[in-house]
Amino acid sequence: HVVPFREPGTAPLSAFAIAGAHVTYFGGPVISNVHIVQVLYGTGSYLSNVDGSATPNLAGFFTDITQSSLFDMLNEYSTAGVTAADGTAGTSQTIGHGSFDGKFSITPSAANNGASITDAQIQNELLSQVSAGKLPAPVLDAQGNNNTLYMIYFPAGKSILLGNAGSCVRGGFCAYHNSTTGTFASRRLYYGVHPDVQVPSGCSTGCGGGLPFDTVTNVTSHELSEAVSDADVGPANTLARPLAWVDPVNSEIGDICVGLQASVFINSTNYVIQREFSNLQSDCVASPAQFQIAGGQNLTTGQQFDVPATLQSDSGAALLAYTGTVHFTSSDPSAVLPADYTFNFADAGFHRFIATFKTPGTQNITMTDTRFPLMTGKANYVVSAPGADAFRIAEPANAITNTPVPIVVSAQGGFPTTLATGYTGTVHFSSSDAAAVLPADTTLTNGIGNFSVTFKTPGPQTLLIADKANPQIFGSSGSLVAAAPANPTTTSVVVNTNPATFGQPVTYTASVIQGGSPVTVGQVNFNSDGVNFSTGTLDANGHAQATSSLEGGPHTIIAEYFGGGASSPASSSALLSVAVNPAPTTVTAGSTLTPSAFGQKIFLTAQLTNALGGVNGGFVTFFDGGAPLAVIPASFSTVSFADTSLPAGTHSITASYSGNSDFGAATSATFTQVILPAPPINYSLASDKPSATLLAGQAAKFFVSGTSVSGFNGSIKFGCNNLPAFTTCTFSPSSIFVAPGTPTVSVQLTVKTSGPNASLSAPPTPWTKDHGLYASLWSLGPVCFGIVLAASSRRRKSTGALVLGLAALILVLAVSGCGGGGSTPPPPPPPPNITPSGTTAMAVTATGTPTAGSANATNPNQTLNISITVQ
């Protein structure tokens, strides 16, 4: 596995390449909770931000970044419950936040501290310093794996060599991470190597951009993220453990995103970091996916409410292919929360849930992925007990001194305002008449209380009622208090219909008499719960009328005669209690499409009708059998919501309207929604060309793509059958991951035939005298070249194709040291195998494996035929 070099700051991978990337777990360790030890390698000139004398500095960066959203994202590369690519158990580690364990300056031995320092010397020095106690010994996690990462920084003028690649030069590297060949306490140490970035170092311009410290944090975040997700890379020479998370084509999570920077704000400091690849988001990101919950509602205890939640990527896009399981928690210990739910492809990253709070106050709901606990979302709500916002007082406008006046106090709350039957507070009475006889502090019953007040002082007097615990909840009224007149009038009021129905007009009739005769002069105000709603003029019979439709609920009616001059004094009626019942409501449930296919968007509807034509207020709850699906405010006659998640089968849908004081509660008849099975969950194969013609010994390349069909979400592993004789095929990568969000991903197929064009030519005639030597060179060259490949497969930001080729050529030319050439030439090699000419229908095979929790593929094994003609 040769890791390609792409230095930070160069052009990033194409969007197509990033969309096709997917890192695979090969079974090796990650770093659970990284302990970062910053190491200054000897004396010299360091960037002031690195050695800590400037602000911001590297120590602060390590402290902050290990608690940041970047580490929240890395949590998805935990290995707990993950099986390695070879089918065996992994290391069962969970990646969480880390810590900074301090900055240490070491004095390297002279043997390991020249102008040019090799990776082997760095390893020797690190092991020596840890063994001598100059650097902290590694911290272990619960599984016995190293948690410590030694991040080593070098002063200006030091050149680092990793194999034949140098630091801060073209074809070299900006930094790398590795693990030691030797061990401390039987464990390899994990470390990162960071050359100086100050001018005139090439790293000052070739490893990113911006200020020097931005370059440091950019490159450091790259290596830190890769070390956490793929720690023990030193001994790796194949795609197998001890490697952890690696993309066979694009390497580690930082390599995929080279050149893509982000700015993160942590603890009042802005840091430049590199984005890292997220399997879950199929993109280069700086933070994990988050659940966005539409919260913020003002709620009352016991009220069911809707919790619409969308899983959004770092860029804000919905993650359509999410199939994880979520768990709910709340600050309200008594809350009724949704059960754990596993998203399916039909959800397309969005689902509605139902919850109920039981405790007043500012409460929240938190939604967390059960596998990735740092992938969460939270919404806040203001929850109050069913209570009052204000008080209304039904009080006669005219009062007689020393005569008890009846009053009715009602608590009002909500919007639109209705009787707050759940109010349980204590009310306190006060008056502008200091001598008035007032009721004692008391509670209301179902939001209403009947009392009497005796005023002592003539003149206009006010009555104030307030919640004893919260005086901002109050109401006031007033009476004109006078001594008893010599010739009083008497006012009374009746209603023609009681109880009435909301929306039904009723007529109130007031009668005013004096000395047994009707009063025919003056006007009468009609008052409901302390609010005037109509005025009528007395007729020849001493009657005044008003026709009105009051809001639903109980009301107290008072008729107030203004008086007809000195001879006809004002008077108020006794209190008349009336009731307005809610208008009957009918609910009809339905949908925009039935039957429908699983995953197909439908709109479940509730049509609300009554004699008035529409409703206002309350909620409609949709049920599938007894399970609530959504709670939607009822502000129009038709209420609906979109749904894609009903599973295949027959569903009994009902819609229940909560009702309010104006409109009666109602539940629909059952509506049957049929959900047909989804189209086959599948994938398709295609090639960029159907055939190729080549000479024996040549190779042909194809691009084979796999495409998600009808929501398939999983991996596709490739192979080939029916190859021509002496022919091989390879896929790079050998498997891909497709999902509805990234439906088409390609691999490169190389078909290589055998023949003269592939064999090594004999040395030219002038070299025949050295046949024995050159034969040895040619025969041993591939072996030594394999050694180069094996050595270069250790993790680095280092070896470009050019560097590898040159190294291989140098070793081949020097191979006499690997075996030498004797005086007796070896026997000539056997004649090479040659692929015979002809045309063969090669079969590209594919096996689809869905991710956990998603539907199986109907046709998991598929074949694509490609014609190969050898001439």
Side-chain angles (χ1 to χ4, degrees):
H1 171 47
V2 179
V3 179
F5 168 76
R6 293 182 297 273
E7 64 184 20
T10 58
L13 287 175
S14 68
F16 177 82
I18 292 173
H22 186 80
V23 292
T24 299
Y25 179 55
F26 289 99
V30 296
I31 302 180
S32 301
N33 301 96
V34 65
H35 287 248
I36 298 176
V37 174
Q38 181 188 348
V39 180
L40 301 182
Y41 199 92
T43 58
S45 172
Y46 288 91
L47 184 69
S48 57
N49 308 88
V50 172
D51 69 12
S53 61
T55 302
N57 56 58
L58 198 54
F61 171 74
F62 283 132
T63 300
D64 292 340
I65 199 66
T66 51
Q67 306 297 315
S68 71
S69 61
L70 178 66
F71 266 69
D72 293 344
M73 186 279 293
L74 294 177
N75 174 243
E76 74 174 78
Y77 293 114
S78 300
T79 63
V82 181
T83 301
D86 61 6
T88 61
T91 57
S92 192
Q93 296 170 271
T94 298
I95 297 176
H97 289 169
S99 60
F100 177 58
D101 286 3
K103 180 182 65 177
F104 297 82
S105 295
I106 63 172
T107 303
S109 66
N112 294 330
N113 195 24
S116 179
I117 305 172
T118 67
D119 182 65
Q121 290 173 318
I122 295 171
Q123 291 193 27
N124 290 336
E125 192 62 43
L126 175 61
L127 287 164
S128 174
Q129 295 283 341
V130 173
S131 298
K134 304 294 184 180
L135 293 175
V139 177
L140 305 183
D141 66 12
Q143 289 73 33
N145 297 293
N146 280 357
N147 259 346
T148 298
L149 177 64
Y150 302 92
M151 297 296 266
I152 306 172
Y153 293 82
F154 292 82
K158 299 292 185 181
S159 175
I160 313 300
L161 288 176
L162 180 63
N164 291 304
S167 60
C168 304
V169 295
R170 184 182 296 273
F173 56 84
C174 298
Y176 63 87
H177 76 96
N178 206 347
S179 57
T180 59
T181 302
T183 61
F184 173 84
S186 302
R187 292 177 176 84
R188 288 184 287 272
L189 303 182
Y190 306 148
Y191 65 99
V193 171
H194 300 271
D196 180 65
V197 302
Q198 299 175 92
V199 176
S201 168
C203 285
S204 64
T205 57
C207 296
L211 299 173
F213 188 55
D214 294 340
T215 300
V216 171
T217 56
N218 176 29
V219 175
T220 296
S221 64
H222 176 126
E223 300 305 335
L224 173 59
S225 300
E226 289 188 338
V228 166
S229 58
D230 188 27
D232 195 8
V233 296
N237 54 26
T238 61
L239 284 171
R241 54 173 51 85
L243 291 180
W245 294 95
V246 176
D247 182 325
V249 174
N250 301 302
S251 196
E252 297 175 306
I253 64 173
D255 300 317
I256 301 170
C257 303
V258 163
L260 297 176
Q261 296 181 349
S263 181
V264 294
F265 190 73
I266 318 167
N267 282 341
S268 302
T269 305
N270 206 47
Y271 297 106
V272 173
I273 65 170
Q274 187 197 286
R275 295 179 181 272
E276 310 297 328
F277 184 76
S278 163
N279 265 355
L280 182 64
Q281 302 180 56
S282 295
D283 201 359
C284 296
V285 303
S287 61
Q290 292 287 311
F291 295 105
Q292 298 299 323
I293 305 174
Q297 301 99 307
N298 291 325
L299 304 168
T300 58
T301 55
Q303 174 189 341
Q304 280 191 332
F305 63 97
D306 211 37
V307 185
T310 303
L311 181 63
Q312 292 185 352
S313 70
D314 175 78
S315 62
L319 290 180
L320 306 179
Y322 176 66
T323 56
T325 299
V326 294
H327 177 72
F328 294 85
T329 56
S330 174
S331 57
D332 179 358
S334 302
V336 179
L337 300 174
D340 288 3
Y341 178 78
T342 300
F343 280 70
N344 57 63
F345 84 88
D347 286 314
F350 171 83
H351 196 81
R352 291 178 179 273
F353 303 93
I354 307 297
T356 304
F357 287 122
K358 296 295 184 69
T359 307
T362 299
Q363 305 291 359
N364 63 57
I365 285 180
T366 299
M367 186 175 178
T368 305
D369 183 280
T370 56
R371 182 180 171 193
F372 308 127
L374 298 182
M375 191 171 79
T376 66
K378 180 185 289 185
N380 295 315
Y381 305 84
V382 176
V383 184
S384 59
D389 299 323
F391 297 106
R392 288 182 183 176
I393 306 172
E395 176 185 355
N398 300 285
I400 304 299
T401 55
N402 299 309
T403 301
V405 175
I407 64 171
V408 176
V409 177
S410 60
Q412 303 290 317
F415 181 84
T417 301
T418 57
L419 178 67
T421 57
Y423 173 71
T424 58
T426 299
V427 295
H428 173 75
F429 295 81
S430 61
S431 175
S432 59
D433 182 355
V437 179
L438 303 175
D441 294 349
T442 188
T443 59
L444 305 181
T445 301
N446 295 324
I448 295 180
N450 292 275
F451 307 95
S452 68
V453 175
T454 302
F455 292 104
K456 299 288 188 176
T457 306
Q461 303 292 351
T462 59
L463 180 66
L464 178 68
I465 298 176
D467 181 270
K468 188 173 183 180
N470 184 5
Q472 293 182 340
I473 302 174
F474 68 93
S476 65
S477 66
S479 296
L480 179 61
V481 181
N487 189 19
T489 62
T490 301
T491 301
S492 62
V493 63
V494 296
V495 62
N496 67 337
T497 303
N498 189 19
T501 299
F502 176 69
Q504 176 187 1
V506 298
T507 299
Y508 300 91
T509 301
S511 301
V512 182
I513 62 174
Q514 185 179 32
S517 301
V519 176
T520 60
V521 177
Q523 291 183 315
V524 176
N525 266 3
F526 293 88
N527 178 295
S528 174
D529 306 315
V531 179
N532 290 333
F533 64 88
S534 188
T535 300
T537 302
L538 293 174
D539 60 16
N541 297 312
H543 297 157
Q545 288 188 331
T547 299
S548 181
S549 298
L550 298 179
E551 63 191 20
H555 300 280
T556 300
I557 307 298
I558 304 175
E560 306 282 5
Y561 174 52
F562 288 162
S567 60
S568 301
S571 61
S572 299
S573 72
L575 309 185
L576 172 66
S577 296
V578 300
V580 179
N581 294 330
T585 303
T586 300
V587 183
T588 304
S591 82
T592 53
L593 181 65
T594 187
S596 62
F598 174 62
Q600 184 176 8
K601 181 181 288 187
I602 61 173
F603 287 87
L604 295 178
T605 62
Q607 186 71 35
L608 307 177
T609 58
N610 56 51
L612 302 177
V615 302
N616 184 31
F619 297 87
V620 172
T621 303
F622 291 86
F623 292 89
D624 176 14
L629 298 174
V631 180
I632 309 297
S635 55
F636 300 99
S637 296
T638 299
V639 177
S640 67
F641 81 99
D643 185 78
T644 60
S645 63
L646 288 176
T650 300
H651 299 267
S652 298
I653 305 298
T654 55
S656 179
Y657 173 54
S658 65
N660 57 25
S661 60
D662 294 340
F663 301 98
T667 299
S668 72
T670 298
F671 168 77
T672 300
Q673 175 70 45
V674 176
I675 306 293
L676 301 175
I681 306 302
N682 225 321
Y683 61 92
S684 62
L685 299 179
S687 173
D688 64 331
K689 53 182 179 288
S691 62
T693 300
L694 66 163
L695 296 174
Q698 292 182 333
K701 294 185 184 294
F702 303 83
F703 285 95
V704 177
S705 62
T707 301
S708 172
V709 176
S710 300
F712 177 73
N713 181 12
S715 63
I716 302 174
K717 185 174 181 61
F718 292 95
C720 46
N721 290 325
N722 198 36
L723 285 165
F726 309 121
T727 300
T728 61
C729 80
T730 57
F731 292 87
S732 181
S734 61
S735 64
I736 58 175
F737 184 90
V738 296
T742 54
T744 300
V745 181
S746 294
V747 300
Q748 180 175 286
L749 164 63
T750 302
V751 178
K752 191 176 189 311
T753 61
S754 297
N757 290 292
S759 63
L760 294 174
S761 302
T765 302
W767 295 353
T768 54
K769 64 179 180 179
D770 296 321
H771 177 78
L773 172 61
Y774 288 107
S776 297
L777 292 177
W778 286 113
S779 63
L780 291 176
V783 176
C784 290
F785 185 64
I787 294 171
V788 174
L789 290 181
S792 65
S793 65
R794 296 181 181 179
R795 177 67 201 101
R796 67 203 65 174
K797 298 293 157 292
S798 58
T799 53
L802 176 61
V803 174
L804 281 176
L806 290 175
L809 180 59
I810 291 170
L811 283 179
V812 169
L813 293 177
V815 77
S816 58
C818 290
S823 59
T824 301
N833 294 317
I834 298 177
T835 300
S837 60
T839 299
T840 304
M842 180 188 71
V844 174
T845 62
T847 300
T849 303
T851 57
S854 51
N856 291 326
T858 303
N859 298 307
N861 301 313
Q862 297 193 34
T863 301
L864 174 69
N865 291 324
I866 296 178
S867 178
I868 303 295
T869 300
V870 180
Q871 296 179 342

